[in-house]
Amino acid sequence: MKKDKVNYNASSIFDIDINFFVSLKIKAVICDLDNTLDRFDVLRPNSRVIELKDSLEKNGIELMIVSNNHGPRVKSYSMVLGVKYLANARKPFTKRFKKFLTDQKLSIDDVVFVGDQLLTDAKLARKCNVKFILTEPVYKKEQWTTYFNRLIDRPLRKMYRKQNRLGHRCPLNTK
């Protein structure tokens, strides 16, 4: 983890100015689901998530979901939202993510990945050489499997912050 560095950071994906994504000239925002986009225990997107997807689409950017969560939960959420998805992604392993990008006809320059964990999301992005935005968890409550990652993630974030390895702060949404 010594060489790792995050490209960008934000308190939440909802706080990022849509024009920032446009300025990166990307075609898709690939987002982790649990505690980045929404709570881990909901099956339907809330109005804030739907508004984000619509804002991205108005600017020619597609929202996609890549999650380590099980298929039925990710599928039902993504279907209601109307976005492409990859469930059981096995982050930080790269094979399924790279295949997903290929299947969607996207290159690493076409996407930015947004996630709330250094051990899974940031590591996957670094291994795939994809631009990455680290966010804070949207909700305090964690799925039991994520709880253990957070025990490592919290002190690691603190160290990254001290060493100025959290990247540039994303421009804030002014709405």
Side-chain angles (χ1 to χ4, degrees):
M1 297 298 276
K2 288 187 179 188
K3 62 185 172 188
D4 290 351
K5 183 177 179 183
V6 173
N7 300 103
Y8 307 99
N9 71 79
S11 55
S12 161
I13 189 170
F14 305 103
D15 293 340
I16 302 171
D17 186 344
I18 297 294
N19 291 320
F20 175 68
F21 296 121
V22 173
S23 73
L24 293 176
K25 296 182 170 92
I26 58 166
K27 295 179 182 173
V29 172
I30 299 178
C31 193
D32 174 48
L33 177 54
D34 300 329
N35 260 344
T36 300
L37 202 54
D38 217 330
R39 291 176 16 181
F40 74 90
D41 56 354
V42 297
L43 296 177
R44 302 179 67 80
N46 61 41
S47 60
R48 185 167 75 158
V49 176
I50 294 167
E51 185 179 308
L52 172 68
K53 179 206 167 228
D54 291 345
S55 295
L56 288 167
E57 279 184 353
K58 284 178 190 170
N59 286 279
I61 301 169
E62 193 171 359
L63 177 65
M64 298 178 179
I65 294 174
V66 170
S67 176
N68 279 350
N69 208 323
H70 64 282
R73 182 263 198 272
V74 179
K75 180 180 180 179
S76 66
Y77 189 97
S78 300
M79 299 282 282
V80 170
L81 188 56
V83 299
K84 296 172 185 161
Y85 67 93
L86 173 63
N88 300 314
R90 299 187 194 118
K91 298 176 292 182
F93 300 109
T94 61
K95 185 178 180 179
R96 291 183 51 107
F97 182 75
K98 286 180 177 178
K99 183 179 181 331
F100 179 74
L101 287 180
T102 302
D103 291 348
Q104 303 309 317
K105 296 177 178 51
L106 294 168
S107 76
I108 59 172
D109 297 323
D110 293 333
V111 301
V112 63
F113 188 73
V114 182
D116 67 311
Q117 291 189 55
L118 289 169
L119 295 177
T120 55
D121 303 323
K123 192 169 187 175
L124 171 71
R126 181 185 56 79
K127 287 166 75 174
C128 292
N129 205 26
V130 170
K131 292 178 279 298
F132 179 70
I133 300 172
L134 178 68
T135 65
E136 296 297 321
V138 177
Y139 295 96
K140 297 255 186 256
K141 188 177 178 186
E142 299 283 356
Q143 192 170 13
W144 71 269
T145 53
T146 306
Y147 174 79
F148 298 104
N149 280 352
R150 292 283 181 221
L151 294 176
I152 298 167
D153 190 85
R154 283 186 203 102
L156 204 52
R157 278 177 194 254
K158 190 175 182 178
M159 181 181 81
Y160 274 37
R161 194 169 288 113
K162 262 178 132 174
Q163 297 174 349
N164 199 27
R165 291 168 47 195
L166 285 181
H168 301 287
R169 191 77 171 162
C170 293
L172 294 177
N173 188 352
T174 54
K175 276 198 219 174

